[in-house]
Amino acid sequence: MSWLTRARKGINIFKPHEEGDRPQKREIPENLWSKCPSCGDLCYHKELAGNLWVCFQCGYHYPIDAMRYFELLLDEDSFEETHTGMVSRDPLNFRDSMKYKDRIKQSREKTGREDAVITGLGRIEGMPVALAVMDFKFMGGSMGSVVGEKIARCMKDALSQQIPLIIVSRSGGARMQESILSLMQLAKTSSLLARMSEQSLPYISILTHPTTGGVTASYAMLGDVNLAEPKALIGFAGPRVIKQTINTDLPEGFQSSEFLLEHGMVDRIVHRKDFRAEIADLLSFMWKDAERHRVGDEPSDAGDDDEQLPVEPPRV
């Protein structure tokens, strides 16, 4: 058979085979490359993973799994997960295109997690911290009763042990399926942050792409220091909604971390690889007990007496 005839029929790509054997189609792995959403450069996944999923060409920070932030921020083998076993209920019997309880079940099966936040205790360069990381894969990182309760308990851990708090936010906002119960979490978490401020306990907020809605309107923007990843979308409502509300053209990129830094709503934009060192420096400067804890002393129990009491299970 001539080359032209083979070309017209289509050249099959088969593994070498012996005469009489059935040819086998070569298996080509999928998802080896991705196109950078910012610059359009083709990025090889293996190289991206080695660069903490940051584009080599433009520095775009790809979204990463929530557990990766614990690995990035905390000392090795220091993480201890807390406040597990809580699952959202369906107090309103809510249904849109599917039942809310079915959405919860679907998200739990997809992510292997109970809800849209992971909380725990750990150390950063020897300094103990309470840490919460939101998981966007679970219903867009939306905040319902369980998310608000777990973050509130994480704040109470910081209060009772007199240690700093760090929250990594990535969320679409308050969960509409729980209505007012979701909105109540804004007030609950904000009031606990006020108590931390009264006791001079540092709170560092890390904003990643995207951080929007009720999460932005509460604890995400209430940090003593607000850090953000480059080119992250940070805002309350979407650009289209805001434009329709105020009937005014909006500045280009007005909800980016760079725009917020320029207008004083974010304190610093930090590359993902530098977060751990940056936070360690901030805690050394902000926290009066940093050096004492760094050399291995146990955290003090100087919190309020009511913080030592067991926390009631959430009514969700």
Side-chain angles (χ1 to χ4, degrees):
M1 180 185 293
S2 70
W3 184 89
L4 291 174
T5 304
R6 292 170 59 204
R8 184 170 62 250
K9 291 185 176 181
I11 300 176
N12 295 325
I13 303 176
F14 294 116
K15 295 180 180 179
H17 59 280
E18 300 293 335
E19 185 175 353
D21 291 342
R22 183 176 180 179
Q24 305 251 343
K25 188 172 182 179
R26 182 180 302 166
E27 294 183 3
I28 301 176
E30 297 180 354
N31 300 323
L32 292 177
W33 300 79
S34 63
K35 186 176 182 180
C36 175
S38 179
C39 68
D41 191 42
L42 282 177
C43 301
Y44 183 40
H45 283 184
K46 188 174 181 179
E47 293 179 348
L48 270 177
N51 198 41
L52 303 180
W53 290 92
V54 177
C55 177
F56 289 94
Q57 187 70 23
C58 68
Y60 173 78
H61 283 48
Y62 283 78
I64 59 175
D65 186 75
M67 288 302 299
R68 285 286 287 141
Y69 282 102
F70 290 100
E71 298 172 11
L72 288 171
L73 297 175
L74 298 179
D75 297 347
E76 188 175 359
D77 298 327
S78 70
F79 172 63
E80 176 187 351
E81 188 172 359
T82 58
H83 311 305
T84 59
M86 288 185 278
V87 181
S88 288
R89 297 179 183 175
D90 186 10
L92 304 178
N93 294 319
F94 190 95
R95 178 168 187 163
D96 43 30
S97 57
M98 79 165 53
K99 294 180 180 179
Y100 176 47
K101 60 182 179 182
D102 292 337
R103 286 194 185 278
I104 293 291
K105 181 179 179 181
Q106 185 182 73
S107 294
R108 293 186 68 191
E109 292 174 350
K110 176 183 176 182
T111 63
R113 298 191 178 116
E114 295 167 341
D115 217 296
V117 70
I118 307 168
T119 59
L121 299 172
R123 289 182 176 270
I124 297 179
E125 294 192 4
M127 294 176 286
V129 296
L131 178 62
V133 180
M134 303 199 71
D135 185 359
F136 196 79
K137 293 179 181 178
F138 196 107
M139 292 186 66
S142 53
M143 179 174 62
S145 300
V146 167
V147 171
E149 179 66 20
K150 290 187 71 171
I151 289 177
R153 292 190 184 194
C154 189
M155 294 172 178
K156 289 183 178 181
D157 289 340
L159 283 163
S160 64
Q161 300 188 36
Q162 292 290 286
I163 58 176
L165 170 70
I166 300 167
I167 298 180
V168 180
S169 297
R170 185 179 175 220
S171 173
R175 192 173 296 175
M176 68 174 184
Q177 289 89 342
E178 296 184 27
S179 188
I180 190 64
L181 299 179
S182 294
L183 296 179
M184 288 170 61
Q185 310 309 313
L186 281 69
K188 179 167 69 177
T189 54
S190 298
S191 64
L192 284 167
L193 287 177
R195 294 177 64 180
M196 287 192 63
S197 179
E198 291 170 359
Q199 298 188 32
S200 301
L201 295 174
Y203 164 45
I204 297 175
S205 177
I206 300 176
L207 301 104
T208 68
H209 177 81
T211 300
T212 59
V215 171
T216 304
S218 55
Y219 55 83
M221 296 298 291
L222 292 177
D224 297 307
V225 177
N226 293 329
L227 305 178
E229 288 187 340
K231 301 181 181 179
L233 172 66
I234 304 167
F236 179 67
R240 178 179 56 82
V241 174
I242 296 175
K243 184 176 181 179
Q244 290 176 349
T245 302
I246 65 177
N247 295 318
T248 303
D249 290 332
L250 304 168
E252 184 177 354
F254 82 106
Q255 289 183 319
S256 67
S257 49
E258 288 76 13
F259 186 91
L260 296 182
L261 175 66
E262 183 180 347
H263 290 78
M265 298 184 70
V266 167
D267 296 297
R268 188 170 296 180
I269 295 175
V270 182
H271 191 285
R272 188 173 285 160
K273 65 180 176 62
D274 297 326
F275 267 124
R276 186 166 175 269
E278 183 79 18
I279 292 173
D281 287 344
L282 287 169
L283 293 182
S284 297
F285 176 75
M286 298 169 61
W287 188 30
K288 66 181 186 306
D289 292 331
E291 288 306 315
R292 180 168 65 84
H293 283 290
R294 195 193 294 269
V295 296
D297 289 343
E298 292 297 324
S300 64
D301 294 325
D304 293 343
D305 291 340
D306 60 339
E307 298 301 336
Q308 309 302 321
L309 298 176
V311 183
E312 292 295 326
R315 298 182 175 88
V316 293

